[in-house]
Amino acid sequence: MKKLIIIACIAIGFNAFAQNDAKAESLLKEVSSKIKSYKNISLDFKYELNNISENIKQETRGDVVIEGEKYKLNILGITRIFDGKTLHTISPEDEEVTISSDNSEDESTITPSKMLSFYEDGYSFKMDILQTIKGRKIQYVKLNPMDTNSEIKHILLGIDATTKHIYNLIEVGKNGTKTTLTVNSFKTDQPISKTLFTFDKSKYSDYFINKID
């Protein structure tokens, strides 16, 4: 599940601007400012994982609604609801609900609430290529982890030059694994239910409840 949540997809504050490309810095600040101006964000996305040497190829789709630290993520038939304090992972196939505390402090995991601005800390960055994709100008920024022990070789963050929204994220691992998240739909400030991020235990009375904290 970690790789599925690497998407993604938000630390606060750039700590190494002096080492970074000024144009890339300006662009990422603009993206970050715009993202933080929205009350909520709803994404539909495609997730691809490829490792040619291991003959691994996986592709799936998912959706997530994010409001501050709260989120509801659906992917691979599993629903993850985080209300700001507690994470509920619901697996209909296993008829199981796993309850745990927030895992955002795990540095190897970028949670949905971090997926749109994870790059603000721990990376140096510079401008990369500008591509036209389906009629859209996509400017890529290359991110290199500052931690030399990181499993990540580099990340390419694709940003729509017009909307300043994130279009895709391409993560290349040192083990040869390439993970790509492509945003198919980016909606903001949508009317959402007040209970969207609330786990309703009554709906899962027949499920096994697994508390791991």
Side-chain angles (χ1 to χ4, degrees), residues 72-206:
K72 183 175 182 180
L73 169 69
N74 296 299
I75 191 167
L76 291 176
I78 293 174
T79 298
R80 294 166 67 89
I81 301 173
F82 182 60
D83 61 9
K85 294 182 179 180
T86 305
L87 176 66
H88 292 84
T89 302
I90 305 163
S91 175
E93 182 177 353
D94 300 324
E95 295 189 344
E96 180 179 19
V97 176
T98 301
I99 303 174
S100 62
S101 60
D102 179 25
N103 64 351
S104 63
E105 294 183 0
D106 183 343
E107 293 181 357
S108 64
T109 300
I110 297 173
T111 63
S113 57
K114 306 296 183 187
M115 72 167 62
L116 296 177
S117 57
F118 71 91
Y119 53 81
E120 292 181 0
D121 190 28
Y123 294 89
S124 62
F125 41 82
K126 63 181 180 180
M127 295 291 270
D128 205 86
I129 62 172
L130 175 66
Q131 285 188 331
T132 299
I133 302 175
K134 298 180 180 178
R136 299 165 67 184
K137 295 288 186 181
I138 305 298
Q139 174 65 60
Y140 283 91
V141 176
K142 188 174 184 179
L143 312 174
N144 292 298
M146 296 178 184
D147 181 1
T148 56
N149 295 318
S150 174
E151 295 178 1
I152 299 172
K153 183 178 179 181
H154 65 260
I155 293 175
L156 288 170
L157 190 64
I159 298 165
D160 186 306
T162 301
T163 66
K164 301 303 187 292
H165 290 163
I166 293 174
Y167 168 73
N168 69 350
L169 180 155
I170 303 168
E171 179 194 294
V172 179
K174 291 179 179 178
N175 65 354
T177 299
K178 180 180 178 182
T179 305
T180 304
L181 172 80
T182 303
V183 176
N184 296 319
S185 172
F186 191 115
K187 297 179 180 179
T188 61
D189 297 339
Q190 299 293 296
I192 60 175
S193 169
K194 292 182 179 180
T195 60
L196 182 65
F197 307 110
T198 302
F199 174 71
D200 186 350
K201 187 177 180 179
S202 66
K203 294 181 179 179
Y204 305 96
S205 57
D206 295 334

Side-chain angles (χ1 to χ4, degrees), residues 29-70:
K29 277 188 173 181
E30 191 172 357
V31 171
S32 178
S33 177
K34 197 158 191 177
I35 286 171
K36 290 174 181 177
S37 72
Y38 300 129
K39 183 178 180 181
N40 61 64
I41 297 173
S42 301
L43 304 177
D44 290 322
F45 59 85
K46 180 173 70 173
Y47 171 87
E48 300 172 90
L49 184 149
N50 288 281
N51 187 315
I52 296 175
S53 62
E54 299 292 334
N55 195 29
I56 298 173
K57 185 174 183 179
Q58 182 182 25
E59 181 176 319
T60 189
R61 292 180 180 274
D63 62 81
V64 62
V65 179
I66 305 165
E67 185 176 81
E69 290 297 311
K70 301 176 183 180

